[in-house]
């Protein structure tokens, strides 16, 4: 058996004394008691809540999608991605049962935006955005506008009205009424020419003159140009872009200028409508009669109706699945 090295005895004695003091220290006792009090047993219901939120994240999380030039649809806007903030959602629901309506989402913008694309006509919004737009071209049909405006107001729907400059000059009160109701105002040329036949100078004159009269009358500066009858050339789109306007076409045509029955108009729209659609119409008798039912049927398909600006923005519209609560 070895002999203990006595030179280490004072150090060992000091360690032993310190250990006794720490264990008997009242502050140590308070600290240890606090640890015991804070260590609650795991709440299995809260664990289940966290797991439900994590499962929701798997369902709802989606990557952002860049704006692009599509071979068929030409310029198409981007669409935000979404990500469930699991920690924030858990904190919001803590102590409660899972509620999909209380999920906290983060929107993730794409890298490429509509403004980053070269000038190109737009035929529809993003095909995954559950929204459509009414494009209402106005160069005539004054007698049907008040009823259409009333119907839109009744359903709290904002449309984009493409106004002919000459019409605005002759009907300033109606133009002001459209803008006052919160609708968006676009440029529909000044004299309704065939834009595809115009040279650059005449094209610029048509667009500039219309912007000036619209802004002077309504206070609104158009950011969208809707060519009469959908006619344009490459320089039409370029000149509109130089004037800070994008050229807008349509996805679904009511062909209401042929004066079909209201039922025909509804059928033409409802058989073709889809997320991102832009629906072309005019102030006509059958359109004014079809509009109420048309709005109801579109909303019944869980589609919102908004201006072209709202349709083209990148906000991701999240449709909550109430079945996840069960």
């Amino acid at each position: 058996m070895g002999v203990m090295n006595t030179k280490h005895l004072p150090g060992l004695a000091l360690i032993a004394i310190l250990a006794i003091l720490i264990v008997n220290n009242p502050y140590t006792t308070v600290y240890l008691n606090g640890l015991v009090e804070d260590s609650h047993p795991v709440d299995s219901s809260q664990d289940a809540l966290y797991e439900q939120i994590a499962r929701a994240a798997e369902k709802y999380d989606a990557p952002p999608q860049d704006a692009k030039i599509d071979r068929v649809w030409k310029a198409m806007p981007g669409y935000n991605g979404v990500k469930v903030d699991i920690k924030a959602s858990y904190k919001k629901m803590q102590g409660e049962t899972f509620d999909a309506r209380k999920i906290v989402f983060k929107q993730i913008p794409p890298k490429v935006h509509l403004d980053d694309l070269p000038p190109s006509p737009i035929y529809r919004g993003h095909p995954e955005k559950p929204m459509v737009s009414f494009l209402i071209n106005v160069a005539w049909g004054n007698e049907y506008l008040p009823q259409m405006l009333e119907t839109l107001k009744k359903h709290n729907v904002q449309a984009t009205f493409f106004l002919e400059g000459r019409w605005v000059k002759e009907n300033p009160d109606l133009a002001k009424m459209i803008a006052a109701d919160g609708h968006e105002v676009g440029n529909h040329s000044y004299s309704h020419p065939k834009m595809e036949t115009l040279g650059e100078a005449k094209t610029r004159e048509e667009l500039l003159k219309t912007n000036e009269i619209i802004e002077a009358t309504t206070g609104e500066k158009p950011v969208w140009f809707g060519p009469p009858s959908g006619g344009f050339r490459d320089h039409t789109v370029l000149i509109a872009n130089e004037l800070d306007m994008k050229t807008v076409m349509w996805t679904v045509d009511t062909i209401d200028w042929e004066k079909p029955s209201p039922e025909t108009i509804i059928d033409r729209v409802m058989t073709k409508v889809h997320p991102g659609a832009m629906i072309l119409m005019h102030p006509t008798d059958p359109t004014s009669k079809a509009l109420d039912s048309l709005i109801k049927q579109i909303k019944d398909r869980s589609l919102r109706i908004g201006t072209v600006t709202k349709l083209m923005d990148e906000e991701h519209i999240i449709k909550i699945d109430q079945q996840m609560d069960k």
Side-chain angles (χ1 to χ4, degrees):
M1 197 170 169
V3 179
M4 181 180 287
N5 189 342
T6 56
K7 68 179 181 181
H8 294 305
L9 285 175
L12 292 170
L14 181 61
I15 291 168
I17 291 166
L18 286 172
I20 292 166
L21 287 172
I22 289 168
V23 170
N24 290 308
N25 189 322
Y27 292 108
T28 304
T29 306
V30 169
Y31 173 72
L32 291 171
N33 287 341
L35 286 178
V36 172
E37 288 171 8
D38 289 343
S39 61
H40 298 296
V42 174
D43 185 336
S44 61
S45 68
Q46 292 301 292
D47 263 4
L49 173 63
Y50 196 93
E51 286 173 12
Q52 278 184 289
I53 295 169
R55 283 200 303 273
E58 291 176 10
K59 172 184 170 62
Y60 288 112
D61 284 3
Q65 298 181 50
D66 289 341
K68 65 179 183 178
I69 301 291
D70 184 79
R71 187 173 60 83
V72 175
W73 297 102
K74 305 306 178 187
M76 282 180 52
Y79 200 38
N80 284 352
V82 288
K83 189 168 184 62
V84 172
D85 188 327
I86 297 176
K87 288 183 179 178
S89 301
Y90 182 76
K91 186 176 180 181
K92 194 172 181 180
M93 295 183 220
Q94 204 162 12
E96 305 174 13
T97 56
F98 176 82
D99 185 347
R101 294 165 298 184
K102 292 183 179 179
I103 296 173
V104 179
F105 292 95
K106 292 178 180 176
Q107 299 239 355
I108 307 159
K111 291 188 173 75
V112 181
H113 310 284
L114 195 59
D115 285 342
D116 298 329
L117 302 179
S120 179
I122 301 168
Y123 286 82
R124 72 172 184 187
H126 196 281
E128 290 178 27
K129 185 165 186 171
M131 177 182 280
V132 302
S133 283
F134 289 156
L135 281 55
I136 306 174
N137 289 351
V138 184
W140 36 261
N142 297 12
E143 61 270 41
Y144 306 113
L145 273 171
Q147 184 181 338
M148 290 178 69
L149 288 170
E150 189 60 39
T151 302
L152 292 168
K153 184 182 288 185
K154 171 186 165 184
H155 291 284
N156 194 29
V157 165
Q158 268 73 52
T160 299
F161 285 77
F162 289 87
L163 308 181
E164 183 197 74
R166 180 175 54 190
W167 179 89
V168 174
K169 185 177 180 181
E170 294 169 358
N171 302 277
D173 290 342
L174 280 173
K176 288 176 185 175
M177 189 186 300
I178 290 167
D181 277 359
H183 300 293
E184 186 168 52
V185 176
N187 184 318
H188 193 48
S189 81
Y190 189 82
S191 60
H192 212 275
K194 292 182 176 180
M195 299 299 296
E196 65 273 28
T197 68
L198 302 185
E200 294 184 22
K202 187 62 179 172
T203 296
R204 191 179 301 275
E205 180 188 332
E206 282 280 332
L207 300 189
L208 269 174
K209 202 171 175 183
T210 304
N211 277 357
E212 287 168 3
I213 191 71
I214 286 176
E215 195 166 0
T217 304
T218 68
E220 302 293 326
K221 183 178 180 181
V223 295
W224 307 107
F225 168 58
S229 307
F232 65 90
R233 292 165 68 178
D234 287 347
H235 71 242
T236 316
V237 178
L238 290 171
I239 291 168
N241 187 70
E242 288 170 14
L243 299 174
D244 298 321
M245 292 187 294
K246 288 183 171 56
T247 300
V248 174
M249 303 300 283
W250 60 83
T251 326
V252 180
D253 192 352
T254 59
I255 321 176
D256 54 0
W257 49 271
E258 288 185 346
K259 307 291 178 64
S261 69
E263 292 73 27
T264 299
I265 288 175
I266 293 168
D267 184 64
R268 281 175 181 165
V269 173
M270 297 313 298
T271 54
K272 295 178 182 176
V273 74
H274 57 264
M278 296 196 290
I279 302 160
L280 180 65
M281 58 183 70
H282 303 78
T284 67
D285 180 49
T287 302
S288 66
K289 289 173 178 170
L291 196 56
D292 185 76
S293 180
L294 198 55
I295 291 170
K296 289 175 185 173
Q297 290 188 45
I298 289 171
K299 288 186 173 183
D300 283 346
R301 291 201 187 175
S302 299
L303 293 170
R304 296 186 189 181
I305 306 170
T307 62
V308 172
T309 292
K310 287 300 292 180
L311 183 66
M312 294 298 146
D313 76 28
E314 294 164 346
E315 181 193 2
H316 194 114
I317 297 175
I318 301 157
K319 298 170 81 173
I320 296 299
D321 183 3
Q322 296 299 330
Q323 294 299 316
M324 292 197 71
D325 290 350
K326 299 175 183 177

